[in-house]
Amino acid sequence: MSKLQMTTPLVEMDGDEMTRILWQQIKEVLLEPYVDLKTVYFDLGLPEREKTKDQVTIDAAEATKKYGVAVKCATITPNAQRVEEYHLSKMWKSPNGTIRGILDGTVFRTPIMVNGINPVVKNWKEPITIARHAFGDVYKAAELSVPGAGKAELVFTAADGTETRKTINEFTGPGVLQGQFNVDASIVSFAHSCFQYALSTNQDLWFSSKDTISKTYDHHFKDIFADLYEAQYKKAFEEKGITYFYTLIDDAVARVIRSKGGFIWACKNYDGDVMSDMVSTAFGSLAMMTSVLVSPHGYFEYEAAHGTVTKHYARYLQGEQVSTNPMATIFAWTGALAKRGELDNLPELTAFAKKIEQASIETIEAGLMTGDLVGLWEGSVPAKKRTSLEFLQDIASRL
Ligand code: NAP
Ligand code: MG
């Protein structure tokens, strides 16, 4: 059998610990036997980031701008303990943060659904994708402790020196104070990414905020979405038969719980932080959550939502045959390959990526799964715990 050919390479970003091991196994067992894999390889493992003073992360992000589609393995975000463990000269920044900064994107997280692993919300039949605006608001706020009586004001000093003032509160006793901001450039990028991802995945888009209470701040977000939709996306949405829908965040929560799923829910920064954990927990397992960074300029970077699974790696190093779930990392590869196929007009590559996804899901549905899923299993056949490598081989034989 001749291998599937690619025309444009994928940007491949290798990572750390257990996911680095899975990365290699996935390539060897599921990809390389069937695809003449073309990648531009960047090693984002911590030793290489240290060696290159983190230049490798920047190079990988720049390459994504050049080639358009990347696939990334989970990476360690250093903390004080990692600085010691890896003898780092500096506490390097989170690679995901660096890449997101360069590509200016929005992260979309989607659960992988399997019959036999049922969402807590029983009417959810299709995945719900959360898009979080990962910039500004409370995450970049200035805060003050108010020691006692006094007047708090918002003051904006324009470039020409003109001041605009507004009283926040006349304090009669101690309290607290916070100033939040966002910028149009970031909100516009967020909205573009959401509209484009809805079109690219053929799903309805919901956006929620609290504009009835926040009549200037949240309303501004709502207006930017509405204006862009009218000006640039309405026609394409209508042609695809999908809708854009704005509602208040509390109404959105009620509707999401009652829905059957199958849409994208765009959230402001804080809402997205909270709601993505709620939705992912209700769908089952972090190991079954995929993630894609979509830039408003049309670049895509696919990855798993989980980390490097440090505890399993420690056992792997002791020689144990671990049972770490590779599903989200497999789907990062298939997502990237399918997108490459779509962009390069290689329908066979896209179809092959979908076949791997199908074979992976069917393997679990046949009762073969990694340890994390065994406890969640409610299928009709008994669950059989497989090591990571056995599970990948099970998928390959089904493929
Ligand atoms: P983690 O790697 O996501 O793992 C936390 C726990 O979740 C694991 O110990 C394991 O539970 C379970 N788990 C996660 N993924 C799993 C999988 N594929 N299969 C089976 N079980 C899975 O989070 P962490 O331990 O907090 O972080 C480890 C490192 O990852 C950190 O250095 C952090 O900086 C990094 N990280 C990277 C990314 C990224 O690159 N996108 C994201 C998050 C964290 P049990 O031990 O109970 O089996
Ligand atoms: Mg959080």
Side-chain angles (χ1 to χ4, degrees):
M1 196 183 79
S2 67
K3 290 188 188 183
L4 282 169
Q5 294 299 312
M6 298 174 64
T7 44
T8 317
L10 281 177
V11 175
E12 174 183 354
M13 307 182 191
D14 208 343
D16 289 297
E17 299 194 311
M18 200 57 223
T19 41
R20 187 181 179 96
I21 307 296
L22 293 178
W23 194 258
Q24 202 51 46
Q25 292 177 343
I26 290 168
K27 284 171 63 178
E28 282 170 18
V29 178
L30 290 180
L31 303 175
E32 284 162 354
Y34 313 103
V35 182
D36 194 7
L37 207 57
K38 276 199 179 64
T39 74
V40 183
Y41 180 88
F42 295 88
D43 185 358
L44 266 54
L46 195 44
E48 190 63 20
R49 276 182 275 152
E50 166 67 17
K51 208 169 119 195
T52 64
K53 306 274 170 251
D54 210 24
Q55 184 62 37
V56 66
T57 309
I58 295 163
D59 292 347
E62 291 298 338
T64 306
K65 282 186 169 173
K66 179 171 173 198
Y67 295 103
V69 185
V71 55
K72 180 181 170 291
C73 180
T75 46
I76 292 167
T77 297
N79 55 16
Q81 182 231 319
R82 298 294 199 170
V83 169
E84 231 169 76
E85 182 186 346
Y86 282 84
H87 310 289
L88 302 181
S89 56
K90 203 175 151 187
M91 200 185 288
W92 304 110
K93 283 194 278 185
S94 147
N96 288 42
T98 302
I99 295 166
R100 194 162 60 217
I102 293 172
L103 301 182
D104 174 29
T106 297
V107 172
F108 295 81
R109 278 180 152 205
T110 309
I112 303 162
M113 291 185 77
V114 168
N115 288 322
I117 295 171
N118 304 322
V120 175
V121 181
K122 59 182 182 300
N123 43 285
W124 287 356
K125 300 295 178 207
E126 301 285 333
I128 295 169
T129 298
I130 298 253
R132 171 180 172 190
H133 180 218
F135 177 80
D137 303 349
V138 70
Y139 300 84
K140 291 236 182 232
E143 301 191 329
L144 277 182
S145 278
V146 174
K151 181 175 170 185
E153 286 178 290
L154 276 180
V155 182
F156 172 72
T157 313
D160 68 2
T162 335
E163 277 189 2
T164 313
R165 285 173 177 268
K166 197 163 181 176
T167 302
I168 301 168
N169 192 36
E170 304 267 6
F171 284 89
T172 54
V176 281
L177 191 60
Q178 184 184 69
Q180 293 188 28
F181 77 95
N182 222 299
V183 296
D184 283 11
S186 176
I187 306 168
V188 167
S189 283
F190 173 53
H192 274 302
S193 297
C194 291
F195 288 126
Q196 286 175 18
Y197 195 63
L199 286 171
S200 126
T201 59
N202 232 330
Q203 297 183 88
D204 291 345
L205 174 66
W206 299 14
F207 175 53
S208 57
S209 75
K210 193 70 184 178
D211 66 296
T212 46
I213 300 298
S214 174
K215 289 187 167 62
T216 302
Y217 197 107
D218 279 17
H219 202 88
H220 193 62
F221 279 74
K222 178 183 175 181
D223 282 345
I224 286 178
F225 268 76
D227 293 348
L228 273 182
Y229 178 67
E230 285 298 324
Q232 293 186 42
Y233 293 102
K234 193 171 178 193
K235 199 161 159 274
F237 269 56
E238 283 170 358
E239 276 166 14
K240 286 224 165 193
I242 58 175
T243 55
Y244 167 62
F245 168 64
Y246 174 84
T247 190
L248 287 169
I249 178 85
D250 35 1
D251 179 54
V253 167
R255 286 173 186 262
V256 164
I257 297 295
R258 285 196 305 262
S259 77
K260 59 180 182 38
F263 53 88
I264 299 164
W265 182 12
C267 292
K268 287 181 62 206
N269 205 351
Y270 175 82
D271 299 339
D273 188 352
V274 178
M275 292 307 158
S276 69
D277 275 18
M278 198 259 313
V279 168
S280 63
T281 307
F283 267 106
S285 161
L286 187 58
M288 297 286 276
M289 188 63 70
T290 63
S291 178
V292 54
L293 176 76
V294 179
S295 98
H297 318 291
Y299 318 125
F300 295 80
E301 183 231 303
Y302 293 82
E303 64 168 336
H306 60 77
T308 60
V309 212
T310 311
K311 286 184 200 146
H312 293 210
Y313 185 57
R315 300 208 302 266
Y316 172 85
L317 292 178
Q318 303 287 314
E320 189 184 316
Q321 286 298 316
V322 291
S323 182
T324 313
N325 191 338
M327 284 292 280
T329 306
I330 295 172
F331 275 61
W333 273 101
T334 54
L337 286 170
K339 178 54 79 180
R340 201 61 274 167
E342 187 190 313
L343 296 176
D344 295 348
N345 196 21
L346 299 169
E348 286 182 357
L349 187 64
T350 304
F352 176 69
K354 297 292 162 200
K355 277 185 192 155
I356 297 181
E357 293 182 357
Q358 200 53 39
S360 306
I361 289 171
E362 284 172 6
T363 299
I364 298 176
E365 289 177 345
L368 304 172
M369 64 196 77
T370 47
D372 57 307
L373 297 183
V374 171
L376 302 170
W377 181 246
E378 296 182 274
S380 47
V381 293
K384 199 165 164 199
K385 179 175 166 180
R386 308 292 273 163
T387 67
S388 302
L389 191 56
E390 285 169 344
F391 178 68
L392 290 170
Q393 286 159 347
D394 294 337
I395 297 171
S397 45
R398 204 163 285 271
L399 192 62

